[in-house]
Amino acid sequence: MTIADLVAAPDPQQESFSALVHVEYQLRVLGLLCAAADESPAKFSTPGSLETWAEYCRKQSEKLGCTECRTDATEVADSIEMVVVKGPQTSIRRVRNQVCHGGPIPENIDRAVLHGAVTHNAERIVRIYEHGHVSELSPYFRMIDGALAALHSFSGTAARYWPRRGEARDVTDPDVMDALKQLNFQRGDRLLDDFAQDIARDLKGFAERDSVYVLASPPDPIAVRWDRRSSDGPVPRVDRFVIGADHARMWLTESGAKKPYKAFLADVCNWPLLKRRLLEELEEQVAAEKRISRELFPNLQQRVPHVPTMVQFDDDYQGPRTDLTITEACKEVTDGIHAYRGSTNLITLTGEAGAGKTHSLLQYARESLAEDADLAPVAIYISSSRTSATSLDKLITERVAGTRILDREPVLALCRAGLAILVIDGFDEMLGFRSYDDPLSGLQPILDQLRNRGAVILSARASYSEARLWKSLTEHPAKASNHRLTTMKLQPWRRAELLKLAGHLSSETLIEEAPEIRQLLTTPFFCLAYIAWKQTDPPGDFLRFVVDTYLQRELSKLVDSQNAELFSQDDLSEIFCEVAEMTARNVAAEVDESDLVTAAEVALDRELDEKEQRRLVALCGMSAEWSEHELSFSFTHLAIAEHFLARQIVRVPFQQTLALLSEVAISALCAQLIASMWSEEAREESLEALIAALQARVSAAQSTEECRPAMASLGELWARVHGTADNRRTASRIMVDKLELNGSGTVTLNQAQVKRLVVGPGVTVRLTDSQIDQLDLSRTSGNPLLDDSHKQVGELLTQGGLATTPRQIRELLGLPEESVDESDIEAFFRDKIANARAAIVVDRHYNPPDEDVRMKWTREHGDRWQAFAKRLITEGKLIEERVNAAGQQKWRLRPTESFFEE
């Protein structure tokens, strides 16, 4: 497509509206050509109105360099005043403004004159271009899907290009951005222009293709003429919008009343009907989850109740809290969706297998959809399991297709407006681990379209995805996306939740668990299993109860044409053990069909015949889906995967066990299962001997990087076996999320990495070269830390309070304050600024928010930070940028190049 194609007149048989709109497009193309012909073009406005572009073309035509082209450009600009309606005489400009503001197209419009005007305009613009004044069309024009498109707008981080046909497209190519930044842009009414662009973007999902026309011509309201898509055919609409007090975006209804912009989107998508249909589809998913529960625990005939799980809630501004249920935490997310502008809130929900993530999120979504509050945000729940979708875009479309109102684009429009919150359950499973090390890549398509607004809840089984997401957000600032990361971690169930569940189920069993069972009763899944196990007669072995009864019940599905069983229960168990080891070694949640066959043949020590291979895909406990043109298989429940991995670890020869634990980082749940199963296998070697051998391997490694999986496995096993001992004990290079030290004696941790270390009474601790994120001494009195162990602690929790800086930790432990000279203090602040992973946001006195725990380092040396920050701003080494946020005015501090030159 060429410039001639862009400006060519529409077909004379088309309605007059097409020609009226095309006049503005012709003026835009001419204005951009004039700018491209000048080394230093005059400022032009984006998006700009018909009158704005006409005036720009008149002035800029002086730079074309020849009389003929200047004359042609002026005549194109003057064409908007051509009379196309007689009696009273009305120009193209006035007719176009009248129509685009919702008025009718005049019946007596002279279509021949109008078509002649756009035809002559096209001829003149082509002559100007072919005369050779423009040597380079970029960046004013760009090829989009093989067609030439004209620049429509530029925000500084993204450019929108407008093709002759089809939808406008956003471009973020760094080379294009750099070129556009060199140009002069004049923003007339930026708030109104931005609002107009967002309206056009939001309506893409609701409107007929190419039917949206937006007119932003201050001081008049924005007028949008468009055709709403419906099952009965296009429904023409004209809507008007204004900017209200406090820059609020408002919709003018037909009666002239002002309503919030989101009320317009709710009206467009028939809000009550949409909520009802989303709820109906959600109930189907809730019913499916209940069926799974009934199949797993058939003895529990009563309705399994909702027992709220506690959650650790940690956002950017208030720090960690542990006094909320998952329902209350989700409500805070909902209530706070409009609290901050300019950033998408990414909320990660993590919890071990069976912790109740799916149940809790379904409950949250159901409550939001059943809420009667007008225009309160709803949760659109999307599960990655049991779906054929291979991308997040397809997953969203698949989820909302049944509403017959929404697809992906309208969903994102509702999210941008704060009417909906995306809830993606099983985020790490959705990734398929193919982008496991870069989870941002799986989210980027929708984050780009959310345009730093709204909220997305992502559930995952492990904190690994959360950590990788943090890393991705800090390593890719060029993506021009601002995201806040809020974390929610489901807390282990306490005895109170178990008793409440048992009471709801009318269970009369005594809750007197053996220690190895008590360690597992921290999730709803295992608590249900425990109650079902206690009701069996005889009760049998709890560790194998759930999985083995599940396998036994499903064997009937694995039969040949003569109804003969193809596999025994032991066969299935051994196959799953091999698959669990394979996925663990590959750090993947799934295997392909050939790997599944290989695992089965290794487990059974024979080749499978064609019939067995064909029926292998129907294995209970495994689910299949298409991914990248092939079938992949994963365990239907992660607890099942952990169980079979533990079973594999305890049943293979000792050296193979040692090798496996050295290469695979096991979870806390897996470690609990291993400790419980070890003695049942009547192993010659004790579990202590296994830990000692693993410790020897870790200690012999040249660096911690080469033995991180072994460190994690060692840490989890050491915590289970030695955490409650009554003697002196030592652990080197262990890595564990939570370590509880009870019993008595001195515990020495050398080069340990522990997120949360809990010390009970009777235990003293010596830390050497270790990193403890949080040390909990609330269950003991005095100072159980030996030597200078306190220097290796990030946070300290005692009966006297919480200390978050080294100075506060020393004070809480009753240690004398260490003297620090001014040069050390300055070096400390410089290092923190240079390596800050989050924005440094302060008030006018240079104080960060009190609740922002990530900025606790600014309070480490009293009020010296305020003087230091003020001096660096004066020296030009820090700059202040205003933050667009609710509440007290805030500034973001950013280091300049001169900061790094010293």
Side-chain angles (χ1 to χ4, degrees), residues 683-882:
R683 301 290 301 251
E684 294 182 6
E685 306 86 354
S686 66
L687 190 56
E688 289 81 355
L690 174 63
I691 293 174
L694 193 57
Q695 177 72 82
R697 285 201 174 194
V698 168
S699 300
Q702 294 297 314
S703 68
T704 57
E705 289 303 316
E706 67 182 72
C707 63
R708 292 184 73 83
M711 290 169 61
S713 296
L714 174 62
E716 296 294 356
L717 288 174
W718 196 94
R720 301 301 171 283
V721 175
H722 296 299
T724 58
D726 291 307
N727 52 26
R728 297 175 63 90
R729 49 216 191 268
T730 300
S732 295
R733 288 184 172 179
I734 65 170
M735 185 167 61
V736 61
D737 283 351
K738 181 179 180 181
L739 175 59
E740 287 198 42
L741 297 178
N742 293 303
S744 62
T746 298
V747 179
T748 300
L749 299 180
N750 176 44
Q751 300 181 61
Q753 299 177 34
V754 184
K755 288 187 177 180
R756 185 166 181 242
L757 177 61
V758 182
V759 179
V763 177
T764 54
V765 179
R766 175 178 286 109
L767 302 174
T768 58
D769 299 326
S770 294
Q771 177 183 336
I772 312 300
D773 291 353
Q774 185 184 73
L775 176 61
D776 185 349
L777 301 180
S778 60
R779 290 162 44 193
T780 185
S781 59
N783 179 9
L785 299 181
L786 302 176
D787 305 328
D788 61 352
S789 296
H790 65 277
K791 294 183 178 180
Q792 296 155 67
V793 175
E795 292 182 353
L796 176 64
L797 178 64
T798 70
Q799 297 172 357
L802 176 67
T804 60
T805 69
R807 181 167 58 88
Q808 293 174 343
I809 290 174
R810 288 192 296 270
E811 290 177 356
L812 209 54
L813 292 174
L815 300 175
E817 184 174 352
E818 295 181 347
S819 61
V820 183
D821 63 32
E822 292 298 326
S823 61
D824 289 339
I825 294 175
E826 177 157 334
F828 171 79
F829 286 140
R830 282 184 170 276
D831 177 70
K832 292 296 184 182
I833 293 173
N835 296 292
R837 73 174 185 179
I840 302 174
V841 178
V842 297
D843 61 18
R844 62 190 182 91
H845 299 297
Y846 305 109
N847 294 316
D850 292 338
E851 66 275 10
D852 191 347
V853 296
R854 298 173 307 166
M855 294 288 290
K856 62 184 181 182
W857 53 267
T858 61
R859 298 180 280 272
E860 172 62 15
H861 296 288
D863 59 1
R864 288 185 175 92
W865 157 251
Q866 287 76 11
F868 176 80
K870 186 175 182 180
R871 177 168 62 82
L872 261 64
I873 291 170
T874 303
E875 296 173 355
K877 295 172 182 175
L878 288 179
I879 58 174
E880 298 174 291
E881 299 175 348
R882 291 177 73 93

Side-chain angles (χ1 to χ4, degrees), residues 649-654 657 678-679 681-686:
I649 288 172
V650 301
R651 79 186 185 101
V652 298
F654 186 81
T657 296
W678 192 266
S679 60
E681 293 291 325
R683 301 290 301 251
E684 294 182 6
E685 306 86 354
S686 66

Side-chain angles (χ1 to χ4, degrees), residues 1-3 6-7 22 24-33 44 46-47 53 137-144 147-154 159-165 167-171 180:
M1 180 174 281
T2 64
I3 292 293
L6 284 187
V7 299
H22 193 55
E24 179 176 329
Y25 191 72
Q26 288 178 325
L27 283 168
R28 175 181 296 273
V29 172
L30 174 59
L32 294 175
L33 286 175
F44 57 89
T46 60
W53 279 109
L137 290 176
S138 178
Y140 301 95
F141 299 88
R142 181 177 174 84
M143 297 300 293
I144 302 289
L148 195 63
L151 178 66
H152 177 265
S153 59
F154 177 58
R160 170 160 282 207
Y161 284 86
W162 190 3
R164 172 67 187 272
R165 298 174 185 83
E167 299 172 346
R169 292 280 293 276
D170 288 339
V171 174
L180 289 174

Side-chain angles (χ1 to χ4, degrees), residues 289-303:
E289 292 299 322
K290 289 180 180 177
R291 283 196 300 272
I292 293 173
S293 179
R294 286 196 298 269
E295 290 172 0
L296 287 173
F297 311 113
N299 293 328
L300 303 180
Q301 298 300 323
Q302 301 93 336
R303 174 181 177 273

Side-chain angles (χ1 to χ4, degrees), residues 29 93 117 277 291 342 347 412 483 517 551 583 610 629 632 704 726 742 794 802 850:
V29 172
R93 176 179 60 82
R277 288 181 177 175
R291 283 196 300 272
I347 304 101
L412 296 178
H483 309 301
I517 294 178
L551 295 180
T583 55
E610 182 180 352
H629 309 294
S632 61
T704 57
D726 291 307
N742 293 303
L802 176 67
D850 292 338

Side-chain angles (χ1 to χ4, degrees), residues 155 249 287 435 576 622 787 820 832 891:
S155 67
R249 294 180 168 189
S435 54
F576 285 157
M622 302 293 290
D787 305 328
V820 183
K832 292 296 184 182
W891 282 263

Side-chain angles (χ1 to χ4, degrees), residues 369-386:
L369 289 167
E371 182 78 34
D372 290 332
D374 188 32
L375 302 184
V378 301
I380 299 181
Y381 175 86
I382 297 169
S383 174
S384 64
S385 63
R386 297 185 295 279

